[in-house]
Amino acid sequence: MSAAGGGAAGTLRVPGRHGYAVEFSPYLPGRVACAACQHYGIAASSLTLSAFSSHLKDHFLMIIWETSGLDSTGPGCGTLLVLDKYESGLRLFRSFDWNDGLFDVTWSENNEHVLVTCSGDGSLQLWDTAKAAGPLQVYKEHIQEVYSVDWSQTRGEQLVVSGSWDQTVKVWDPTVGKSLCTFRGHESVIYSTIWSPHIPGCFASASGDQTLRIWDMKTTGVRIVIPAHQAEILSCDWCKYNENLLVTGAVDCSLRGWDLRNVRQPVFELLGHTYAVRRVKFSPFHVSVLASCSYDFTVRFWNFSKPDPLLETEEHHTEFTCGLDLSLHSPTQVADCAWDETIKIYDPACLIVPP
């Protein structure tokens, strides 16, 4: 592992590990967790060409050719990386290996040491960063890759939601060894699941079936189905300041905002990415600011309330940029990760000057 960076930015290179997701700790400023895979996570069924814009297929096939000498039975092992940012750069605090690729990570909201990852083998893993041993618990019910996990942020709940390529969403209490309930309705793989930060028991999911769906545990069924794009939707997020506002990012390269009170048309559309949008995140500090990362190797920052909404484009990765998060402790700090084996924490200029 190698690290570089000054006080305003840092980079950690992790040879042989390709980043899929990053998340800042809600407790410790500058601490970040990253879920990563070996072998790009592309072998076997762990990714499909349908997840990419059609003009990315040549690049995808090139990677398969370049890695064709590797094990073709799967994405290899996965690694959970926990790192801290210092003035001198990024340092690895702890790492944990799993026997299949890790695709997402979420921190506990009631214990600063605990987090959950999800894997290509259909399982979720509960980890304790205070211990160097393996997972505290493994939850295995999904029958295909689990691509998304999220820990509820509303008071009175300690729940995790997971979305899988088996077309189901499951809700878990981490203290219980089995899921509390399973939600069905999506007609294709589920890429993203996110709890509402406002409404207890309410979460959203985004799918390859081109819909964004809003669910409620009280009714154990879908509340709203939004045909949000005419393409696979790879990511969604809930606005921290408006319980009715969500954003989606899709293979059609666009981001769209949705007001749950009237879902016939998006309330905004953001264009600029040239390949599929892999992840979207609303700012915890600015009501109309959000960030997105893409298979076009870029991270973009937006203010959807402005006539010219694109604030800044970061081009510091050389491969698919898959993971992205905005710090809960600093209004300017951002973390991202990519298939180029690097994790970065930095302060984009557009957030240093109030957007």
Side-chain angles (χ1 to χ4, degrees), residues 206 212 228-229 233 235-237 246-250 254-258 280:
L212 171 70
H229 296 258
I233 307 171
S235 184
C236 63
D237 195 27
L246 291 96
V247 65
T248 52
S254 74
L255 292 83
R256 291 179 177 176
W258 300 96
V280 292

Side-chain angles (χ1 to χ4, degrees), residues 252-274:
D252 62 11
C253 310
S254 74
L255 292 83
R256 291 179 177 176
W258 300 96
D259 187 325
L260 298 183
R261 294 165 296 188
N262 184 354
V263 298
R264 287 177 293 180
Q265 295 291 332
V267 291
F268 63 81
E269 184 173 40
L270 304 174
L271 303 174
H273 282 295
T274 55

Side-chain angles (χ1 to χ4, degrees), residues 26-335:
Y27 291 95
L28 303 174
R31 176 158 290 183
V32 169
C34 176
C37 289
Q38 190 182 24
H39 302 174
Y40 294 96
I42 60 168
S45 64
S46 291
L47 285 175
T48 64
L49 288 178
S50 63
F52 303 101
S53 302
S54 60
H55 41 302
L56 268 175
K57 290 183 181 178
D58 288 344
H59 183 78
F60 181 78
L61 292 170
M62 178 187 73
I63 293 173
I64 294 178
W65 178 80
E66 288 176 349
T67 59
S68 59
L70 302 174
D71 179 8
S72 62
T73 61
C77 69
T79 302
L80 169 62
L81 303 151
V82 181
L83 50 125
D84 292 309
K85 185 179 185 300
Y86 297 91
E87 286 297 313
S88 58
L90 305 184
R91 297 180 199 168
L92 186 68
F93 170 73
R94 192 85 79 196
S95 68
F96 303 91
D97 287 333
W98 186 244
N99 56 15
D100 209 313
L102 298 180
F103 295 131
D104 201 10
V105 60
T106 184
W107 285 95
S108 166
E109 293 290 333
N110 69 341
N111 186 324
E112 67 183 55
H113 302 294
V114 172
L115 34 69
V116 172
T117 53
C118 61
S119 175
D121 63 7
S123 70
L124 283 68
Q125 306 80 32
L126 184 74
W127 308 90
D128 186 341
T129 63
K131 301 176 182 178
L136 299 176
Q137 196 162 353
V138 177
Y139 311 93
K140 181 71 167 71
E141 289 185 23
H142 287 293
I143 58 174
Q144 288 184 257
E145 292 88 343
V146 186
Y147 224 56
S148 177
V149 284
D150 190 43
W151 198 298
S152 174
Q153 299 174 36
T154 55
R155 292 180 180 177
E157 288 182 338
Q158 292 301 325
L159 300 174
V160 172
V161 62
S162 61
S164 171
W165 285 28
D166 65 11
Q167 303 182 19
T168 70
V169 177
K170 290 180 180 286
V171 173
W172 314 78
D173 179 337
T175 64
V176 178
K178 61 181 181 179
S179 64
L180 302 180
C181 45
T182 300
F183 297 83
R184 294 178 172 85
H186 278 296
E187 298 173 1
S188 184
V189 300
I190 297 168
Y191 290 107
S192 181
T193 48
I194 183 79
W195 287 105
S196 166
H198 312 280
I199 309 165
C202 182
F203 62 88
S205 60
S207 168
D209 67 10
Q210 307 180 3
T211 68
L212 171 70
R213 298 180 185 229
I214 311 300
W215 310 79
D216 192 335
M217 286 189 65
K218 299 183 191 70
T219 61
T220 63
V222 65
R223 279 179 47 200
I224 304 172
V225 179
I226 305 169
H229 296 258
Q230 291 184 311
E232 290 194 297
I233 307 171
L234 304 186
S235 184
C236 63
D237 195 27
W238 219 296
C239 179
K240 312 302 186 289
Y241 294 90
N242 184 340
E243 69 178 36
N244 293 303
L245 183 62
L246 291 96
V247 65
T248 52
V251 168
D252 62 11
C253 310
S254 74
L255 292 83
R256 291 179 177 176
W258 300 96
D259 187 325
L260 298 183
R261 294 165 296 188
N262 184 354
V263 298
R264 287 177 293 180
Q265 295 291 332
V267 291
F268 63 81
E269 184 173 40
L270 304 174
L271 303 174
H273 282 295
T274 55
Y275 296 126
V277 177
R278 179 61 182 84
R279 201 174 295 266
V280 292
K281 287 289 179 79
F282 272 106
S283 168
F285 292 94
H286 305 285
V287 64
S288 58
V289 171
L290 53 86
S292 58
C293 67
S294 166
Y295 292 135
D296 66 11
F297 309 171
T298 72
V299 178
R300 296 174 192 245
F301 298 89
W302 315 81
N303 186 332
F304 63 81
S305 69
K306 293 192 171 184
D308 186 8
L310 182 60
L311 300 175
E312 186 173 337
T313 301
E314 292 282 352
E315 299 179 293
H316 54 205
H317 286 292
T318 58
E319 263 299 345
F320 297 159
T321 308
C322 295
L324 175 67
D325 198 23
L326 283 70
S327 172
L328 297 170
H329 301 279
S330 165
T332 64
Q333 198 166 77
V334 177

Side-chain angles (χ1 to χ4, degrees), residues 17-30:
R17 293 297 181 268
H18 309 287
Y20 271 81
V22 289
E23 186 167 291
F24 280 101
S25 165
Y27 291 95
L28 303 174

